[in-house]
Amino acid sequence: MKQLSVTVARKVKEAEGIASFELVSAEGKVLPPFSAGSHIDVEIRPGLTRQYSLCNDPTEQHRYLIAVLRDPHSRGGSAALHDVVREGDTLAISEPKNHFPLVQAKRSLLFAGGIGVTPILCMAERLAQSGNSFEMHYCSRSAERTAFRKRITLADFASQVSFHYDDGTPEQKLDLTHLLARPQAGTHLYVCGPSGFIDFIIQAAKSHGWQSEQLHLEYFGALAQDTSADRDFQVKIASSGVLYTIPAGKPVIEVLASQGVNIPVSCEQGVCGTCATRVLDGVPEHRDVYLTDAERARNDQFMPCCSRSKSPMLVLDL
């Protein structure tokens, strides 16, 4: 995918531990269009690329806006953006990609957990502009940690948004039983945030009879995995017939790259889908959060950055 060169026009503290970055074309050009739910790949430094959702008005083409949570468990991405990147700096990014799009629906129910507000806010603004029915629920630890609170409270759709704080009073806490008890075919649910938050919302929805096709989600990080039972397996490259052994504890992309077989990769956590590789034979052990349940069941592709194999060998279309 084509890379774009952008300049950090503004860096703003949006909430405790959260900064936004306004990115404009370094060459003064119009930026490629995007839709609500889109994200961009940001090259923090050579070899370190991370994905961030766009959270400005999708009709804008003079800028992209991202917001980044300083994660104490970060592997370098969020800390570098917070501590190293300054206004005036130039970054390399991808064109926008959307794996979390809005669909046509009579009504939309939006759930944001913490920094997961970025794509959800963009969706709310798009739905409001188009006159579609929706309500948004924004959950965060406290008002001080709630990014874009002022922007939301001043918006025309502010009455359609409810804030829920962990340190708030009981009556303002999220009541999923009330919200999800009566699923309707014309309503679609969107959720983004930490994996535990997403799982909580999705499991509650399914327990109340919501159908999988009504549920849309986007994780911001990989799920924790139990790797204690990992075993060696083999990968066969279909074009050459060469076999490679993938030891326990090493990802497929690392082993193949060391042998000169390079697969495009970005997040390295099974979130972005960049490294999706076709499987011609064998049964993958899916550990990504990108593929849908239906896509996983077909076993015709997998994410070699994090997934492994249930069968002794996988034959890859490489």
Side-chain angles (χ1 to χ4, degrees):
M1 181 171 286
K2 180 182 177 182
Q3 272 202 334
L4 306 173
S5 181
V6 294
T7 299
V8 180
R10 293 186 71 210
K11 179 181 178 181
V12 177
K13 181 180 178 180
E14 298 289 352
E16 186 176 335
I18 299 174
S20 68
F21 298 80
E22 182 178 325
L23 311 175
V24 300
S25 170
E27 302 168 343
K29 296 181 179 180
V30 171
L31 294 168
F34 70 97
S35 54
S38 295
H39 72 270
I40 55 173
D41 297 341
V42 179
E43 186 179 85
I44 312 299
R45 54 176 168 77
L48 180 63
T49 300
R50 293 291 178 262
Q51 292 69 44
Y52 298 101
S53 295
L54 296 174
C55 54
N56 55 304
D57 186 337
T59 64
E60 296 179 342
Q61 286 189 260
H62 68 286
R63 67 168 187 158
Y64 294 147
L65 186 69
I66 61 172
V68 181
L69 170 68
R70 184 183 177 86
D71 183 354
H73 305 295
S74 167
R75 294 182 298 160
S78 71
L81 282 171
H82 274 260
D83 299 340
V84 180
V85 174
R86 299 286 184 264
E87 291 183 359
D89 287 354
T90 300
L91 298 172
I93 67 170
S94 70
E95 293 185 346
K97 297 177 279 188
N98 198 342
H99 305 310
F100 188 41
L102 283 169
V103 300
Q104 288 292 333
K106 292 181 180 178
R107 180 172 175 269
S108 298
L109 191 55
L110 312 177
F111 292 94
I115 195 61
V117 71
T118 48
I120 296 297
L121 176 55
C122 194
M123 289 178 173
E125 292 182 334
R126 182 70 187 106
L127 290 166
Q129 289 169 1
S130 58
N132 290 334
S133 174
F134 77 95
E135 64 179 281
M136 173 179 163
H137 293 270
Y138 186 179
C139 303
S140 61
R141 291 171 62 183
S142 65
E144 294 74 25
R145 293 178 177 271
T146 304
F148 305 116
R149 177 178 167 83
K150 184 176 180 180
R151 173 174 159 186
I152 294 170
T153 56
L154 293 178
D156 293 339
F157 58 85
S159 62
Q160 295 163 260
V161 181
S162 297
F163 294 94
H164 308 280
Y165 304 122
D166 291 351
D167 64 356
T169 58
E171 61 268 18
Q172 57 85 62
K173 295 297 177 69
L174 185 66
D175 185 351
L176 286 184
T177 299
H178 171 72
L179 293 171
L180 304 178
R182 297 179 179 84
Q184 297 179 342
T187 299
H188 281 249
L189 182 155
Y190 300 82
V191 56
C192 187
S195 58
F197 176 80
I198 291 176
D199 293 343
F200 175 63
I201 301 292
I202 295 298
Q203 289 170 12
K206 288 183 176 179
S207 72
H208 284 94
W210 290 68
Q211 301 301 303
S212 295
E213 57 268 22
Q214 295 176 270
L215 307 176
H216 311 271
L217 55 93
E218 184 171 58
Y219 288 97
F220 270 146
L223 300 177
Q225 298 285 345
D226 180 1
T227 60
S228 59
D230 283 0
R231 298 290 183 268
D232 295 0
F233 64 96
Q234 288 190 310
V235 161
K236 182 177 182 179
I237 306 302
S239 61
S240 64
V242 178
L243 286 171
Y244 298 100
T245 297
I246 312 300
K250 283 201 172 184
V252 175
I253 55 168
E254 181 182 324
V255 175
L256 294 186
S258 70
Q259 300 299 315
V261 182
N262 293 301
I263 298 172
V265 66
S266 181
C267 73
E268 303 178 53
Q269 301 180 77
V271 174
C272 70
T274 300
C275 67
T277 301
R278 189 179 176 205
V279 176
L280 300 179
D281 194 22
V283 181
E285 182 180 334
H286 298 289
R287 295 183 177 179
D288 65 281
V289 293
Y290 176 81
L291 296 174
T292 65
D293 290 343
E295 289 170 332
R296 288 183 175 200
R298 290 199 293 269
N299 287 321
D300 59 359
Q301 61 179 319
F302 87 136
M303 304 298 161
C305 68
C306 63
S307 296
R308 298 186 67 78
S309 181
K310 293 180 179 179
S311 55
M313 182 174 69
L314 292 178
V315 180
L316 304 184
D317 189 16
L318 294 171

